[in-house]
Amino acid sequence: MDFTTGGRLEVRITPDDVGKRVSVRLVSEDREPGATFTDVVGVLTSWTEGTLSITRRTGEPVRIAESSLVAGKVVPAAPARRRGPAASAPELDRVAARAWPPVTSEPLGEWTLRASGGFTRRANSVLPLGDPGMGLDAALRRVTEWYAARELPAYIQVSTGAEGAQEVLAAELESRGWVREVSSLMEIAALAPIGDLDADTSAVTLSRQLDDAWLTRYQRSSGEPSPEARTVLSGGPSVWFATIAADAGGAPAAIGRCVVDGRWAGFTAVEVAPERRRQGLAKAVMTALARKALDEGASAAYLQVETDNGGAHALYEGMGFTVHHSYHHWRASGEDPR
């Protein structure tokens, strides 16, 4: 990466560039001969009292002493993915929110406060897409009060690493003591290749209805599923449930869920019984759901998976999914997670 002008390394960023994507080169503060350079690329989220904070696309904050900078410049936003459909982070986050609708919601300016009795962080967190209509500290007070009234911890879902993402908000939350907990990836793909996969879908049953058998395989159901869980899972513009029955009765061998919303098909809750894994059942479920979504006019696919779920990443990569951006749930300091 070229940091030079006339053959000299040059720092071409200032505190006025906070909020922009930058690339910097730094070296150890002692600058001893032979010191190793390190490059950092991300959004410049603060520059105060001689320290820069840069948030990488993964959401990881990096703090850099101004004295260690040897070069730096503003760089273009992350380039559009060459594989899969083009989309901004806010577009995908809104589509995913419609596919996982909360039981209760309330606007706070352009933010959306969501609650569902504690069933998943996604359905019990703020979606902060835009301006809350007031100063950040006032908005955060309103958020914590709203969730406290519902006996829920206050969470805010924040995206990083793509056009329109919220690295600056992440840095502001961190500076106020909020705690980043679970991080996930938003992955996208063209839909038609998934529908064209060579998978045996003959055992897959598709239904509009969420039934008790499907829920017995769903890992987030322990005991009797809550009314909130049923409401969230059943909600969305056009919802389909897939099931592969067990050979000898009992919980299904595999399940999946897909929500069609315009050009997008969102896959969630793809699960396979432990003793039936590596038999192509997940691929069969997703292929059957993709074909149904194609029939309804969708052309693009997305899914969300936690960063530490290596098995799922490998499966989805093999189907053509690539990472679009990351998102993280930040919890208000001092609150107990549930």
Side-chain angles (χ1 to χ4, degrees):
M1 183 170 288
D2 182 16
F3 289 101
T4 64
T5 299
R8 294 188 311 162
L9 291 171
E10 188 173 54
V11 177
R12 287 176 260 162
I13 58 173
T14 73
D16 291 336
D17 293 315
V18 167
K20 298 178 182 178
R21 188 168 182 262
V22 301
S23 178
V24 302
R25 179 164 290 173
L26 57 143
V27 70
S28 57
E29 291 191 45
D30 56 22
R31 300 182 185 243
E32 294 179 352
T36 302
F37 290 116
T38 300
D39 292 340
V40 178
V41 179
V43 174
L44 180 62
T45 48
S46 69
W47 189 333
T48 58
E49 299 180 352
T51 301
L52 293 73
S53 181
I54 294 176
T55 301
R56 300 183 191 268
R57 61 171 294 122
T58 59
E60 174 195 1
V62 181
R63 289 174 179 77
I64 300 167
E66 183 178 344
S67 60
S68 70
L69 283 181
V70 295
K73 65 179 181 178
V74 174
V75 295
R81 276 51 179 182
R82 294 185 179 181
R83 296 172 60 194
S88 67
E91 176 188 350
L92 276 166
D93 289 343
R94 288 189 178 96
V95 169
R98 290 195 294 268
W100 202 258
V103 174
T104 302
S105 65
E106 182 177 315
L108 181 63
E110 295 176 306
W111 290 12
T112 303
L113 284 61
R114 305 174 293 181
S116 302
F119 172 69
T120 73
R121 288 179 180 84
R122 274 185 286 165
N124 292 273
S125 58
V126 179
L127 190 65
L129 302 180
D131 189 337
M134 60 187 71
L136 181 59
D137 288 325
L140 296 180
R141 284 194 297 272
R142 173 62 183 141
V143 165
T144 55
E145 291 168 358
W146 194 84
Y147 283 98
R150 290 157 179 79
E151 299 184 340
L152 294 169
Y155 282 101
I156 299 180
Q157 179 180 314
V158 180
S159 292
T160 61
E163 177 190 354
Q166 303 143 326
E167 286 88 351
V168 173
L169 176 58
E172 295 284 1
L173 293 174
E174 184 182 35
S175 72
R176 288 163 172 79
W178 286 59
V179 181
R180 187 177 70 164
E181 291 192 342
V182 177
S183 293
S184 300
L185 300 176
M186 177 75 78
E187 301 190 3
I188 60 173
L191 184 62
I194 301 171
D196 289 340
L197 289 172
D198 182 16
D200 180 4
T201 62
S202 60
V204 181
T205 300
L206 299 180
S207 174
R208 288 288 196 185
Q209 302 302 316
L210 173 63
D211 60 32
D212 291 340
W214 191 98
L215 284 166
T216 60
R217 174 55 56 204
Y218 183 53
Q219 65 174 341
R220 294 185 184 275
S221 296
S222 56
E224 178 64 24
S226 68
E228 291 88 354
R230 291 177 180 272
T231 298
V232 172
L233 289 165
S234 299
S238 178
V239 186
W240 289 96
F241 297 96
T243 304
I244 297 178
D247 293 336
I255 60 170
R257 174 179 178 268
C258 181
V259 180
V260 183
D261 184 356
R263 70 174 176 136
W264 290 104
F267 295 88
T268 63
V270 177
E271 299 182 15
V272 178
E275 68 275 10
R276 297 294 304 276
R277 290 174 184 166
R278 302 185 184 278
Q279 298 177 19
L281 301 190
K283 184 168 76 169
V285 163
M286 292 188 66
T287 300
L289 289 169
R291 291 172 182 172
K292 180 59 69 174
L294 287 165
D295 290 343
E296 294 193 0
S299 60
Y302 74 88
L303 51 81
Q304 297 156 291
V305 58
E306 293 185 5
T307 54
D308 59 357
N309 190 343
H313 292 305
L315 170 68
Y316 300 140
E317 183 178 356
M319 293 182 177
F321 282 91
T322 58
V323 175
H324 184 276
H325 66 272
S326 302
Y327 70 91
H328 322 272
H329 285 100
W330 289 80
R331 176 174 49 82
S333 176
E335 295 195 6
D336 293 328
R338 299 184 187 180

